[in-house]
Amino acid sequence: MTVDEASPEGQRERERLERAWDTQPGIVGWLSNIHHKAVGKRYIATAFVFFALAGVEALLMRIQLARPGSHLLNPDLYNQIFTMHGTTMMFLFAVPVMEGVAIYVVPLMIGTRNVAFPRLNALSYYMYLFGGVFLYVMFFLSMGPDAGWFAYVPLAGPEYAPGKRVDVWAQMITFTELSALLGAVELVVSIMKMRAPGMSLNRIPLFVWAILVDSLMIIFAMPAIMAASSYLILDRLIATHFFNPAEGGDALLWQHLFWFFGHPEVYIIFVPALGMVSTIVSTFSRRPIFGYTAMVLALVSTGFIGFGLWVHHMFATGLPQLGLSFFSAASMLIAIPTGVQIFCWIATLWLGRPRLELPLLFVMGFVVIFLIGGLTGVMLASAPLDQQVHDTFFVVAHLHYVLIGGALFPLLGALVYWFPKMSGRMLAETPGKWAFWLLFAGFNLTFFPMHQLGLRGMPRRVYTYPAESGWGNLNLLATAGGVVLGVGLLVLLADVAWSVRRGAVAAASPWGGDTLEWATTSPPPEYNFVYPPTVGGLNALWVATDQQPVVAGLRSDRREVLITRTVDAQPDHRAVLPQDSIWPFLTAVAISFTFVGSIFRAWFVPVGAVPVLIGLVGWFWPRGEPLPREEAAPRRQLALEDQP
Amino acid sequence: MTRPALDVSRLPPIAVDSRGTLWWGMVGLMAIEGTMVALLVATYFYLRLQAVQWPPPGALDGGLLLPTLALLVLLVSVVPMYLADHAVKERDRWGVVLYTTINVTMALVFMGMRAVEMRRLTFRWDSHAYGSIYWSILGLHTSHVIASTVESIVLVALIARGFFHDEQRLGLRTDGLYWYFVVGAWVPLYAILFLFPRWQ
């Protein structure tokens, strides 16, 4: 059997698919859209709105700290702003934006038409959106959290943080973690069961591997923060005693639970970035990645070791000597898989014919910045040095080098890389390069002086400092750098806004990449592929010939996808994905009503459960008609149909 | 461009077993919930390590008989769930309805026993840290029992109305899987709440 997209039959197939995968117009249609590309783009756009808000907060802090003795912000507002900055960047930007990119790219990369549970995907987005909006509404009502992004008890407990502020923080965690967990299950199942025929485990693109490891990390790390924030909110609202030493609780329990999530969280942000870097390095070196198996093993071992590090955030809490040594060793150990990957990237570039285009430029920026962050990380892994600079600007410098270097630069590189696929147009390169250099210079100007400030003893989270401290000039330098960084982001934003409308029209595969998203048009149709691809080797598109088969025979009058076996990705059965639906949105509204109400009155939980249940029943209401009474079990006939 | 095609039209249109994506999604949910249970257990023992006296005096007055009987009801309820699952495989609609109803009834009996058990407790969640973790474990598990039972009720009502397509069949099988999880999770939690403080 052969097929041809350009033939009349191919055209008819395309029209049928258009009908089956079409979305409804209007606001209800918009809210009912459950396509992974729409949800992914909404995730990314929403995340960047929160990124901008957190960036404004960062600039406010920098302006406040530019000179000693400044009174632009009062201490209370400053506390809220640094809490909002950290909370927004971690929970409303870094994790969701990585999931958003994954939701957009992964189904294309594995050659299928949507994620495994599209409605759950939409619910996950709305929970994230509502959680973020809730946080900011409360912030503007002067009920923004003010106990830092990790909300240590007893500062965040009922005794020292009365009012609703920390409740808002804890409930925002519930929103965003629920969203992240749903997204993670979604991605794991899609990657396990929906890969193109032939994409066996040893042929999965590195970005997809990274997302698989990342999603599994989310599944096992995020429940810890759910537990911790639930205990916190219970302590605050119904007077339980988890963190109250007077009644047998323990404040350090919070730190253990928080960092059991919080350290893997760093890798949850970083691992997708590793996948992005590998993808970009391979494409722009124009050769397969050096040491694919070593890269996969490095990703997987990062996923495991990431869970063994949490206590290194607690070196200053008086732990037993053996504990200190163990976690110190683990913290140094994790440098090994990262080192393996860096050497593999260098080897790939070395052996290839690199083209220094914009995505690769961002990757180069990543290597430089992340290397510095990694070096200060190795320094901090040593418990004595950590004791010395604990809670100073040295740690602020380190974490920004790791997170901005390790996640933001690869992310921006990846968004430039996939921009043509998402928008159908090329990003204008010259302003992009300007933006890159402004970001790179501005970043180092902002954060490098903070190392020195920390070594000189400037504590973090102080709203001002005396002139005699001698910290003024370095702070002024950092603030100037912050402004350059902000200008760089504005240039990039302007470039995106211009290119979306006026950029050169992009070909299907403008960079010559090897992964399957480049096998379809830019932007892809709603159903992604008229005939989904199959895979004949590790670098799918580079090894494919004209004779590489495509998948035919999926029904095109409904949303059908192919399910393949987990290990060898051989075709197993077909599955029908659901129609667009407003129910995920309504369910998200009902859940949000319950979550928000419950921080004011406990009875919102049982009362809110009713609309949530209605939402879920509406969601799962079966399509089609009930079977006629007498032939509920036409056993033989149906059983025959089920055979392949 | 003409290309060879891999024809998949003869593959089954759905897999009502562990190959289906819904089944995998349920496994993902169970991994999340299982981690949650493990964290509650860790919290329990962490608080135990800090405690001078564990449990606080008078905390065991609720007795062991009722919770043990409730555990037995829960364990036995796995049997009708298994039979319902078997009936799904046989496409025996009324078998599914019958066994699921028995399972739901047993779940309701269990919840009644749980309610009595809660009323008999001599301490509250705000009495001491022991009370906080005790009620949290009880509360988390009860909410899972309720959620799984409601899911079973909705499914059995749909199936009784004649919605017995492959989607509902797969739905019931994953619902059964989740029920096994809810029951299985209670075994260690029961041991920790009721046996450990008596024989530590």
Side-chain angles (χ1 to χ4, degrees), chain B residues 139-161:
Chain B
L140 184 88
H141 186 258
T142 309
S143 60
H144 281 67
V145 173
I146 294 174
S148 185
T149 307
V150 169
E151 191 187 342
S152 302
I153 291 173
V154 172
L155 268 168
V156 81
L158 285 174
I159 291 172
R161 274 197 57 190

Side-chain angles (χ1 to χ4, degrees), chain A residues 280 356-370 404-405 408-414 416 427-445 481 484-496:
Chain A
I280 292 171
L356 195 61
E357 294 192 51
L358 196 49
L360 192 59
L361 197 58
F362 274 103
V363 167
M364 294 296 162
F366 148 79
V367 171
V368 173
I369 295 172
F370 186 72
I404 295 193
L408 187 68
F409 272 73
L411 172 73
L412 293 178
V416 175
L427 190 73
E429 189 157 22
T430 311
K433 285 194 166 162
W434 271 95
F436 168 79
W437 286 110
L438 284 168
L439 286 171
F440 186 77
F443 172 80
N444 284 296
L445 214 52
V484 177
L485 192 61
V487 171
L489 285 169
L490 286 179
V491 171
L492 192 62
L493 184 68
D495 191 16
V496 168

Side-chain angles (χ1 to χ4, degrees), chain A residues 3 241 250 550 552 574 625 627, chain B residues 3 6 8 12-13 126 132 162 165:
Chain A
V3 291
H241 300 293
D250 185 64
V550 290
R574 296 173 289 144
E625 293 300 309
L627 302 172
Chain B
R3 303 183 71 169
L6 176 73
V8 297
D126 53 3
S132 305
H165 307 294

Side-chain angles (χ1 to χ4, degrees), chain A residues 1-4 117 193 220 231 239 241-242 247 250 547-550 552 572 574 622 625-627 632-633 642 644, chain B residues 1 3-6 8-13 19 21 35 40 43 46 90-91 93 126 129 132 136 161-162 165 168:
Chain A
M1 181 178 172
T2 59
V3 291
D4 184 356
F117 312 112
K193 299 302 294 177
F220 292 110
Y231 295 163
H241 300 293
F242 288 103
E247 292 290 348
D250 185 64
Q547 293 311 302
Q548 180 72 34
V550 290
D572 189 78
R574 296 173 289 144
E625 293 300 309
L627 302 172
D642 272 7
Chain B
M1 186 171 70
R3 303 183 71 169
L6 176 73
V8 297
S9 58
R10 294 178 61 80
L11 291 179
R19 295 170 302 156
T21 50
T35 311
L40 283 172
T43 306
Y46 188 88
E90 297 291 314
R91 295 173 185 278
R93 177 154 74 110
D126 53 3
S132 305
S136 298
R161 274 197 57 190
H165 307 294
Q168 286 83 41

Side-chain angles (χ1 to χ4, degrees), chain A residues 3 5 31 42 67 104 119 231-232 280-281 285 305 328 397 445 449 470 507 538 549 609 643:
Chain A
V3 291
E5 274 187 44
L31 293 172
R42 287 175 197 179
R67 298 307 308 157
Y104 187 96
R119 290 188 179 179
Y231 295 163
L232 177 62
I280 292 171
V281 164
S285 303
I305 304 174
S328 210
L445 214 52
L538 175 56
Q643 299 304 315

Side-chain angles (χ1 to χ4, degrees), chain A residues 5 89 97 106-107 127 133 154 169 223 232 258 332 344 374 398 434 446 450 486 577 590 608 618 630 644:
Chain A
E5 274 187 44
M89 283 297 194
V97 80
V106 164
M127 289 313 296
V133 169
W169 183 88
L232 177 62
F258 187 88
M332 294 179 189
C344 286
H398 162 72
W434 271 95
T446 314
M450 290 186 189
L577 296 183
E630 59 279 10

